[in-house]
Amino acid sequence: MLDEKLEPIYADVLRRNPGEEEFHQAVREVLDSLGAVIAKHPDYAEDALIERICEPERQIIFRVPWIDDKGRVQINRGFRVQFNSALGPYKGGIRFHPTVLLGTIKFLGFEQIFKNALTGMPIGGGKGGSDFDPKGRSEGEIMRFCQSFMTELARHLGEYTDVPAGDIGVGQREIGFMFGQYKRMTNRYESGVLTGKGLIWGGSRVRTEATGYGAVYFVDRMLKRRNQGLEGKKVLVSGAGNVAIYTIEKVRQLGGRVIACSDSDGYVVDDTGAGIDLELLKEIKEKQRGRVADYAAARGAGTTYVPGGRIWEVPADIAMPSATQNELNGQDARTLVKNGVVAVGEGANMPCTPDAVRVFLDAGVLFGPGKAANAGGVATSALEMQQNASRDSWTFEATEQRLATIMNGIHDRCAEMAEEYGAPGNYVLGANVAGFIRVAEAMRALGVV
Ligand code: NDP
């Protein structure tokens, strides 16, 4: 049940954004937590502050024409939702995936506002993308698409305006093509306009690893509060992309064993020795751009590949959904709880359905929501912006230390807020409240914006 002051706000969001279910879901989850805030501080319900936060400052939709390898003209749709700049320039990734709609980008942009606020860094919230499907496309096609996408997007960006990064389907290669086009168009080597760049052209150490590493730090900190640790724990990591791979790496470094990972075709269980063979997975995913099925075939005996199956059926102590939104539902959550899961950390954005989140919270499972647990990526992007601004380049150790400190800070802020607002151990409430208060305070200070 929503607070009665929040009901009409949510009804208005539904009415004004028809058919955008993922956006509705993301808003609903935050509003569910804000009842506790306005009960304590009724002034936050004044001046349409919450209504303003739910309305993007700017939504840009554009045509992206490009020519494929057969010389045919292709058309995609590009999006950039500049959601909230109260704390700093818009900041958030770009997603290339055939399922991308305006509502997808709005849900991601909305989450990003609070996530960025939680990092304590001066970054606003935004997100972008396209319904372009990079799968099966040649490098030349991907480059031409990225150049056309940036040709339109460039006019809306700038190191003090809007600073995109990667997301699903957008890694260092795509950031490179976009940065190259931006540079040609502006005749400026404006490193701070994009993050996730390569090391020799303005990138930061640890940015590639940051989201996965950060999510594992978050889970580890939750476990430590219960006098537990990752040592010896069996872990499931869905996905096999950027976030999944570096989640697997850090779990292993901290003594855990990742026994399964997946992609949209199926999952692989590798419960032998140290679990998933990270070097082999990196070779297949990062170099060959292959599939999890290829990993299973290359690894051979001892592994099981389950096409189309649900990874959450595999018994484990910890689950780290790191692929995409709504990939873990209520039934999956019940299966995980039945199998004795003790902690869940969302590496992806909104991977657990609201039903699943309820199951975990009711069962007393430690649950780290995405906007807190996966904030390490954007936090390290902000560190990349700092290095770009000062024309500096930090060591891996120093950067990783900053990341660890930031993640521990996010964890502790969420835990303290949850306690202060009467829901100890509820990191969902803690994250939403801590993020909201920071953004709301800044917005109030800036007048009616
Ligand atoms: P990648 O493109 O590197 O990897 C995505 C992985 O998830 C792939 O294995 C992909 O499988 C799988 N996947 C994607 N869509 C689906 C789907 N509809 N169903 C099943 N599996 C799917 O992306 P990232 O690792 O960068 O991003 C993963 C998640 O983490 C996203 O939710 C993203 O928003 C979030 N995130 C990423 C950050 C970053 O720094 N990169 C920062 C914070 C959050 P397949 O190859 O079969 O499509």
Side-chain angles (χ1 to χ4, degrees):
M1 280 291 284
L2 267 182
D3 182 281
E4 61 176 22
K5 285 199 183 108
L6 298 169
E7 275 289 359
I9 299 177
Y10 185 57
D12 223 34
V13 167
L14 297 182
R15 186 182 62 75
R16 302 178 72 211
N17 303 279
E20 297 179 350
E21 286 86 10
E22 291 163 337
F23 178 51
H24 302 162
Q25 183 183 333
V27 171
R28 174 72 201 222
E29 190 227 279
V30 170
L31 293 186
D32 274 336
S33 300
L34 294 191
V37 179
I38 58 175
K40 210 164 170 169
H41 305 286
D43 50 312
Y44 281 127
E46 291 167 9
D47 299 330
L49 191 57
I50 300 171
E51 288 90 327
R52 279 188 278 150
I53 287 182
C54 294
E55 181 68 20
E57 288 176 17
R58 193 172 298 105
Q59 306 181 54
I60 302 150
I61 305 179
F62 51 98
R63 180 169 67 202
V64 189
W66 56 283
I67 297 177
D68 69 18
D69 285 348
K70 297 201 172 90
R72 289 178 309 215
V73 176
Q74 301 278 346
I75 300 293
N76 285 98
R77 186 172 288 174
F79 303 94
R80 186 74 185 165
V81 174
Q82 299 180 329
F83 223 118
N84 194 301
S85 60
L87 293 174
Y90 309 106
K91 183 89 201 81
I94 289 177
R95 175 176 295 190
F96 292 163
H97 196 271
T99 58
V100 165
L101 296 167
L102 177 61
T104 319
I105 303 298
K106 277 164 76 174
F107 118 64
L108 290 163
F110 186 74
E111 290 277 294
Q112 197 81 44
I113 304 170
F114 306 99
K115 178 189 309 191
N116 293 4
L118 272 174
T119 66
M121 298 164 107
I123 40 179
K127 199 87 186 186
S130 173
D131 57 0
F132 172 70
D133 186 359
K135 265 198 209 106
R137 289 293 178 191
S138 70
E139 183 135 330
E141 290 179 316
I142 288 176
M143 182 181 73
R144 290 195 293 282
F145 175 80
C146 288
Q147 290 177 336
S148 182
F149 182 83
M150 182 51 90
T151 300
E152 174 61 32
L153 189 63
R155 71 188 77 211
H156 306 288
L157 306 183
E159 63 179 314
Y160 297 106
T161 309
D162 186 348
V163 184
D167 192 82
I168 291 178
V170 178
Q172 205 176 98
R173 175 179 65 173
E174 292 73 20
I175 293 289
F177 294 151
M178 289 191 264
F179 182 63
Q181 183 72 352
Y182 183 86
K183 191 171 74 58
R184 280 169 85 194
M185 292 174 68
T186 58
N187 194 27
R188 280 160 63 87
Y189 205 107
E190 189 184 334
S191 301
V193 75
L194 284 168
T195 58
K197 299 182 293 298
L199 266 189
I200 56 169
W201 43 280
S204 171
R205 291 187 176 80
V206 193
R207 177 60 189 91
T208 304
E209 295 84 356
T211 308
Y213 277 21
V216 178
Y217 285 135
F218 194 95
V219 166
D220 190 47
R221 188 103 169 159
M222 290 199 300
L223 288 168
K224 290 222 168 83
R225 278 186 97 219
R226 284 196 184 167
N227 298 319
Q228 298 180 39
L230 276 159
E231 193 71 41
K233 295 277 194 308
K234 282 191 180 187
V235 184
L236 307 176
V237 177
S238 64
N242 171 266
V243 178
I245 285 175
Y246 293 96
T247 295
I248 296 172
E249 185 161 286
K250 185 50 75 178
V251 166
R252 206 160 74 168
Q253 287 172 9
L254 296 186
R257 279 175 69 234
V258 176
I259 57 165
C261 67
S262 65
D263 60 24
S264 53
D265 297 333
Y267 69 85
V268 63
V269 184
D270 192 338
D271 201 356
T272 54
I276 294 287
D277 179 337
L278 190 61
E279 279 60 47
L280 180 61
L281 185 67
K282 278 188 181 175
E283 169 67 29
I284 286 172
K285 295 302 296 183
E286 293 182 340
K287 297 215 175 90
Q288 300 171 17
R289 297 187 184 265
R291 312 294 300 157
V292 160
D294 301 326
Y295 167 90
R299 186 91 156 117
T303 61
T304 316
Y305 178 66
V306 184
R310 297 197 71 74
I311 190 175
W312 314 119
E313 294 161 358
V314 181
D317 306 303
I318 294 172
M320 302 203 56
S322 308
T324 193
Q325 63 271 17
N326 293 326
E327 56 163 313
L328 193 166
N329 62 31
Q331 188 49 48
D332 299 322
R334 279 182 279 276
T335 304
L336 283 164
V337 169
K338 182 167 67 71
N339 288 338
V341 78
V342 293
V344 177
E346 292 189 320
N349 284 309
M350 211 168 73
C352 298
T353 64
D355 189 19
V357 177
R358 241 179 330 267
V359 170
F360 291 135
L361 293 180
D362 289 349
V365 170
L366 292 166
F367 180 77
K371 61 171 79 69
N374 72 34
V378 74
T380 309
S381 276
L383 299 180
E384 183 172 332
M385 291 162 75
Q386 281 185 32
Q387 292 169 76
N388 293 151
S390 57
R391 302 191 189 286
D392 199 357
S393 175
W394 306 343
T395 63
F396 195 96
E397 292 69 30
T399 318
E400 193 185 359
Q401 188 50 53
R402 292 282 298 267
L403 170 66
T405 307
I406 291 166
M407 292 313 299
N408 289 341
I410 294 173
H411 169 280
D412 294 357
R413 218 165 295 137
C414 293
E416 282 157 22
M417 278 294 176
E419 216 143 289
E420 191 179 328
Y421 284 84
N426 183 339
Y427 291 89
V428 177
L429 185 121
N432 287 334
V433 172
F436 168 79
I437 289 179
R438 190 153 185 261
V439 177
E441 284 300 323
M443 284 180 73
R444 272 218 292 234
L446 300 182
V448 177
V449 291

